[in-house]
Amino acid sequence: MDHFELEINDRLAEILKKAVPERGKLTNLLCEQLEIEKVAIYRRLRNDIPFTFAEVVKIAKWLGISLDSIVGESNPYRSQAFQLYWQDFFNLNEKDEKMSNDYIAAIILAAHNPYSEFGIAVNGLPLHVTVQFPTIFRFYVLKWMYQFGKPGELIKYSDVVLPEFLLDIHRRYRAAVLQVGYTYFISDETAFQKLINDIHYFKSIHLITDDEIAQLKDDFTEMFSRIEAIAIKGAYPNGNEVEIYTSGVSFETTYTYLYSESVYVSMIGVFTTGSMSSVDPQSCNHMRSWLRALKRTATPITGNEKNRIQYIEKQLKVLNTL
C-alpha cells in the first residue's frame, strides 16, 4: 500500500473500531456488509491489504458518514442540509420502507457503542412510545390525512388502515431504540393537552366516534402506566437508562438526535409524521448541546417521586376531559 492508501485504511479502521468496539462483533458485521470472508476482513484491519473503493463506499453508507470524514477532508462552506423524509400514507412504497430500515440500522449500529445516546424534545408523544399502540398512531395518521390528503375527501378514523409492513417497521424501531445505552426525552408540558384538543376537534366534525375515543382513552391510560413504570425504575425493562423531563418552554416541533462515536443523526419533525434528517456530525452536536441545555432547565420526572406523581395526575386529568 502507498502512503495515501495506508492513511485511509488507518482512519477507516479507527472509525470502525469506535463504531463497534467488540472486535468479534465488528468482524461479523463487516462480513455481512461487505460479503467477504473473515480472513479477508482481518487482512484489511491489519493493513495487509487496503479496503477497495467499493468497500469504503459501502462502509460509509452503512455508518451513515461522508467519504470526506474517511479521507480526512472537510469544507466549512459545504451545505449541511437536512433531507426531508416524507411518508405518503396514501401511497406507501418501497422507498418509504428502505428509509425507515436505514434509520433502524443506524440506531442498531449506534447501540453497539456503550456511549450511545438518544435525545428527544417532543411537542407530542414520542414515536417509540406510541408505536406500542396502533390505535394511537392511527389517530396521528388520521390527522395527517386530514391536513395533506386529497382535497374535498374526508377520511374517518375507522377508514385508516396501517399496512402490516409499517407496523413491523414500528416494532423493530422500538426494539432498536430500547437497545441504546442512554435515552432521555423532554416533553412540552402542554403536549398531551394539544393532542386531546385535536381529538375533540375530530369528534366535533364526526370523523371519530365515541366508541373509538373510548378505546383511545383506554390505551392512553395504559401508556401512562408504562411511562410511570419507566420513570420509577429510570430504565427500560432491559436495564438501559432512561430519563424523562417536562419543560415549561413550548416546542415548535419535535427534535431528535442519535449520537455515538461514529453515528450522528439529527431530525426535526415536520408535517405531523414526517421529519427532516441530517447525518452531519456538526448538526448533531449542535442539537445535542441545545437539548442537553434544555434538560438542565426542565423538571425531572425520573427519580423524583413528587414530580412524577404530579405529572401523571395532570395527564390523567387532561385525559378525563375526553
Side-chain angles (χ1 to χ4, degrees), residues 13 26 37 43 66 83 86 92 94 104 150 152 154 156-158 172 174 176 179 185 196 201 222 261 288:
L26 171 61
E37 298 295 326
R43 294 185 67 195
S66 69
Q83 179 181 3
W86 167 281
L92 290 167
E94 291 183 2
I104 292 170
K150 300 174 183 177
L154 292 180
K156 293 184 177 181
Y157 180 83
S158 57
R172 291 188 290 109
R174 172 173 165 75
Q179 297 307 310
F185 61 90
I196 296 302
Y201 172 74
E222 174 61 22
E261 291 183 340
R288 183 177 182 235

Side-chain angles (χ1 to χ4, degrees), residues 43-58:
R43 294 185 67 195
R44 284 158 173 76
L45 293 176
R46 289 197 306 262
N47 282 341
D48 293 342
I49 59 173
F51 285 95
T52 67
F53 178 74
E55 290 168 350
V56 173
V57 171
K58 283 184 179 180

Side-chain angles (χ1 to χ4, degrees), residues 139-152:
F139 181 77
Y140 278 102
V141 175
L142 172 67
K143 182 178 175 181
W144 183 92
M145 288 181 166
Y146 181 76
Q147 293 172 320
F148 304 105
K150 300 174 183 177

Side-chain angles (χ1 to χ4, degrees), residues 172-190:
R172 291 188 290 109
Y173 166 78
R174 172 173 165 75
V177 169
L178 265 58
Q179 297 307 310
V180 176
Y182 170 57
T183 298
Y184 68 90
F185 61 90
I186 309 164
S187 175
D188 176 340
E189 64 181 16
T190 64

Side-chain angles (χ1 to χ4, degrees), residues 223-236:
M223 181 190 73
F224 282 117
S225 176
R226 296 185 188 184
I227 289 175
E228 183 172 28
I230 292 172
I232 291 172
K233 187 178 180 182
Y236 290 126

